[in-house]
Amino acid sequence: HEYIGQKEKINENTDKKLLRTGLFVAIGIAIHNFPEGMATFYSSIVNIKVGAAIAVAIAIHNIPEGIAVSAPVFKATGNRSKAFLWSFLSGVVEPIGAVLTAFILLPFLNAQILGYLLAGIAGLMVFISIDELIPVSKSYGYSHLPIVSFIGGLIIMIASLFLLKKWQKFKEMGKKFNFNNRHKLNSNERKKILPAHKLLLKFGLKKGDYIADLGAGTGFFTFAAAKIVGRLGLVYALDISEDMLE
């Protein structure tokens, strides 16, 4: 709730504070953009489709980032060129990160390191939002809107990550094993890791049992089960790939 004298007067000092906020946000976004360039390049090396999707997503979210830098600088100075310059400088760090990754950092980079970097930068951006953007917004007369927007943004991000994870699991369920890699299913290495006959006995399979092998593939467990249940039992081999069963 608002009380008399709660709002700050918008004067020259407020504009200075706004300019400081704009520059602080520009520096934070520049730091934030560097690992994004690294992530885009690294993802493109691993999978060009994933890299392209990340590049498009980052390009879209760079629009509000540019506004977050240029708007307060322009409001404080009235200078469009200065606002554009700071916005440009904060964004150009991203391709610099990609170039440095290509020529220097790639041998030292992996998904885990990128994850730690992006998580740390995300924490920095949250700090900037709480420490700089919300107080400045409140000084312009908005009491509840900044914090409500901040919490709303967190909820949207959490929900989007949750839905993305669910979607990835759903896509994985629909994937078929590549028939050309069928030799891997019966490799000696797999037989050492998964001794089918011993495992089935431990699970309690015995002579005369009826069993269904779902996702049987080339019959890695099916043939072992058939030997255990014998002529008195029955083994059903089921797979979505007819080539595997043949």
Side-chain angles (χ1 to χ4, degrees):
H1 300 284
E2 297 175 3
Y3 303 94
I4 296 173
Q6 182 181 359
K7 293 181 183 178
E8 298 179 21
K9 284 187 177 182
I10 300 172
N11 51 31
E12 188 178 347
N13 290 331
T14 308
D15 285 341
K16 287 181 180 179
K17 186 186 292 184
L18 190 61
L19 178 61
R20 187 180 80 92
T21 297
L23 300 183
F24 193 61
V25 170
I27 294 169
I29 288 178
I31 297 171
H32 158 85
N33 280 342
F34 187 82
E36 280 188 352
M38 296 167 62
T40 305
F41 181 83
Y42 182 79
S43 301
S44 300
I45 291 290
V46 176
N47 188 322
I48 189 63
K49 290 183 178 179
V50 174
I54 291 175
V56 171
I58 288 176
I60 293 171
H61 103 286
N62 278 348
I63 296 172
E65 281 186 357
I67 295 172
V69 174
S70 58
V73 174
F74 176 70
K75 175 66 177 175
T77 64
N79 190 321
R80 294 179 187 273
S81 299
K82 186 176 288 188
F84 173 79
L85 176 63
W86 278 98
S87 181
F88 172 78
L89 290 175
S90 66
V92 78
V93 176
E94 203 159 292
I96 292 174
V99 171
L100 286 177
T101 301
F103 290 102
I104 300 173
L105 302 175
L106 189 59
F108 312 101
L109 203 59
N110 57 45
Q112 188 175 14
I113 291 174
L114 265 179
Y116 287 138
L117 281 173
L118 292 171
I121 298 302
L124 173 65
M125 297 308 295
V126 171
F127 170 77
I128 291 173
S129 298
I130 295 173
D131 193 62
E132 288 290 331
L133 298 180
I134 291 177
V136 169
S137 298
K138 290 177 72 68
S139 71
Y140 275 81
Y142 299 99
S143 55
H144 299 303
L145 184 60
I147 192 65
V148 170
S149 301
F150 176 76
I151 294 172
L154 290 179
I155 292 171
I156 290 171
M157 288 302 299
I158 292 169
S160 63
L161 290 172
F162 175 78
L163 293 173
L164 181 62
K165 194 171 184 180
K166 289 290 184 182
W167 172 247
Q168 287 175 335
K169 284 185 177 180
F170 179 77
K171 284 180 69 178
E172 288 292 328
M173 288 174 63
K175 284 186 177 179
K176 291 183 180 180
F177 185 82
N178 190 338
F179 179 69
N180 294 326
N181 294 328
R182 61 190 182 281
H183 62 280
K184 294 181 179 180
L185 297 176
N186 295 315
S187 66
N188 291 328
E189 185 180 355
R190 191 178 187 221
K191 289 176 181 177
K192 289 179 181 179
I193 298 172
L194 293 171
H197 193 273
K198 289 182 180 180
L199 286 172
L200 291 171
L201 289 174
K202 284 186 177 181
F203 278 114
L205 189 67
K206 59 186 183 297
K207 189 174 182 178
D209 281 348
Y210 285 59
I211 185 173
D213 185 1
L214 304 179
T218 56
F220 183 79
F221 284 101
T222 307
F223 292 117
K227 288 181 180 179
I228 295 172
V229 301
R231 293 184 179 181
L232 297 177
L234 192 61
V235 179
Y236 294 94
L238 305 174
D239 199 283
I240 58 175
S241 172
E242 293 182 8
D243 294 328
M244 287 287 189
L245 295 176
E246 290 177 0

